[in-house]
């Protein structure tokens, strides 16, 4: 019994010298905190390592971050429910704005009246396709092409986009590969990176002109309302 207590005391001192707290030693040895205090009170108080200090600061922020995360989710859900079911006119106007902000546009120095939409956000792709359907654009007039960095998982990304839009990967046009620059530290990497999907509408000169006119009409309508 005496030897066991002596061994326990020696072990407690080793742990204290290794930087362990009273509570950690108590948990490790299964003895009373008063005993630990008696055995190691002559030893200097261990200094916290940089890692330990970091972990302590992080632990203090956990409740705040959890509360903030819950608040963010609640705000987003409340906003999502506020939209409700969209009317055809609402989808029409959203689609015009979506195309004019993200779609290809003809330039005075480079006339190109063709409806081409490029985006990496699956949600935007779905809304855009719903808009094309609302306009009566036939599926056979739509071509898809993936645009992605050459060092990404090309096959997986092609399947991702094909599944999203409901087509076979064999129907995709040839994927456009972006050259990798070793000096650039890219953050769009990993399993969630799928590049962009390019959506071309064939024989779309008239559609493009209408989109440009619709956008002009929105701008004029807003200015008239001010």
């Amino acid at each position: 019994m005496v030897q066991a207590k002596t061994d326990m005391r020696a072990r407690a001192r080793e742990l204290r010298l290794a930087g362990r707290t009273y509570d950690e030693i108590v948990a490790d040895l299964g003895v009373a905190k008063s005993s630990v205090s008696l055995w190691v009170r002559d030893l200097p108080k261990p200094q916290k390592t940089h890692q330990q200090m970091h972990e302590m600061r992080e632990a203090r922020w956990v409740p705040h971050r959890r509360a903030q995360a819950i608040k963010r989710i609640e705000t987003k859900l409340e906003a999502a429910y506020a939209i409700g079911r969209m009317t055809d006119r609402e989808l029409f106007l959203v689609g015009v704005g979506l195309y004019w902000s993200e779609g290809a546009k003809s330039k005075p120095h480079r006339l190109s009246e063709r409806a081409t939409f490029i985006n990496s956000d699956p949600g935007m792709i779905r809304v855009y396709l719903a808009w094309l359907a609302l306009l009566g654009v036939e599926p056979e007039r739509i071509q898809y092409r993936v645009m992605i960095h050459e060092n990404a998982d090309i096959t997986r990304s092609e399947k991702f986009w094909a599944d999203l839009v409901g087509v076979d990967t064999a129907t995709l046009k040839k994927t456009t590969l972006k050259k990798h620059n070793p000096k650039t530290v890219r953050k769009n990497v990993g399993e969630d990176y799928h590049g962009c999907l390019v959506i071309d509408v064939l024989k779309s000169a008239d559609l493009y002109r209408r989109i440009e006119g619709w956008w002009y009409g929105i701008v004029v309508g807003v200015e008239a309302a001010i």
Side-chain angles (χ1 to χ4, degrees), residues 9-53:
R9 177 179 181 277
R11 178 59 181 158
R13 293 177 69 82
E14 288 177 6
L15 293 172
R16 187 60 169 174
L17 289 171
R20 304 288 286 277
T21 65
Y22 278 18
D23 289 337
E24 290 172 336
I25 297 173
V26 168
D28 191 285
L29 301 182
V31 296
K33 192 171 185 178
S34 57
S35 297
V36 173
S37 176
L38 180 64
W39 293 338
V40 304
R41 62 186 178 185
D42 61 313
L43 298 179
K45 185 177 180 180
Q47 297 297 313
K48 298 291 183 183
T49 65
H50 176 75
Q51 179 62 27
Q52 288 173 323
M53 293 297 291

Side-chain angles (χ1 to χ4, degrees), residues 4-222:
K5 190 172 183 179
T6 301
D7 292 343
M8 198 76 75
R9 177 179 181 277
R11 178 59 181 158
R13 293 177 69 82
E14 288 177 6
L15 293 172
R16 187 60 169 174
L17 289 171
R20 304 288 286 277
T21 65
Y22 278 18
D23 289 337
E24 290 172 336
I25 297 173
V26 168
D28 191 285
L29 301 182
V31 296
K33 192 171 185 178
S34 57
S35 297
V36 173
S37 176
L38 180 64
W39 293 338
V40 304
R41 62 186 178 185
D42 61 313
L43 298 179
K45 185 177 180 180
Q47 297 297 313
K48 298 291 183 183
T49 65
H50 176 75
Q51 179 62 27
Q52 288 173 323
M53 293 297 291
H54 174 72
E55 290 174 354
M56 289 174 63
R57 286 193 298 270
E58 287 297 302
R60 285 196 294 269
W61 278 99
V62 166
H64 172 73
R65 287 173 178 159
R66 184 182 296 113
Q68 288 297 102
I70 293 173
K71 184 177 180 180
R72 281 194 296 271
I73 293 172
E74 290 176 343
T75 300
K76 292 176 183 179
L77 288 175
E78 180 182 353
Y81 289 140
I83 296 299
R85 185 178 180 84
M86 294 182 66
T87 65
D88 286 351
R89 177 167 174 77
E90 288 170 340
L91 176 57
F92 169 71
L93 294 174
V94 166
V96 175
L98 188 63
Y99 184 89
W100 206 248
S101 62
E102 297 293 326
K105 289 173 279 294
S106 183
K107 306 293 183 184
H109 60 276
R110 182 177 55 81
L111 191 64
S112 178
E113 296 179 321
R114 179 168 178 164
T116 299
F117 187 84
I118 307 173
N119 212 270
S120 62
D121 185 338
M124 279 201 175
I125 296 296
R126 286 194 290 265
V127 172
Y128 179 67
L129 290 178
W131 181 67
L132 290 181
L134 177 68
L135 298 180
V137 176
E138 301 85 354
E140 55 269 23
R141 288 177 57 200
I142 302 175
Q143 289 185 339
Y144 303 100
R145 171 169 52 90
V146 177
M147 182 182 294
I148 195 168
H149 285 278
E150 61 183 352
N151 59 342
D153 190 332
I154 311 300
T155 301
R156 182 174 61 85
S157 296
E158 289 175 340
K159 185 177 186 309
F160 171 83
W161 289 116
D163 289 346
L164 181 79
V165 300
V167 300
D168 191 282
T169 54
T171 66
L172 297 176
K173 304 299 287 184
K174 185 178 180 180
T175 294
T176 301
L177 299 180
K178 301 178 184 178
K179 292 293 183 182
H180 175 61
N181 184 353
K183 296 181 181 180
T184 302
V185 180
R186 291 175 43 235
K187 297 191 177 178
N188 53 343
V189 296
E191 293 186 359
D192 292 333
Y193 173 63
H194 305 293
C196 296
L197 185 67
V198 182
I199 304 176
D200 276 316
V201 178
L202 303 179
K203 300 178 181 178
S204 56
D206 182 71
L207 172 60
Y208 177 83
R209 293 165 192 160
R210 289 180 182 278
I211 294 172
E212 189 166 346
W214 290 330
W215 177 248
Y216 179 71
I218 290 175
V219 173
V220 171
V222 169

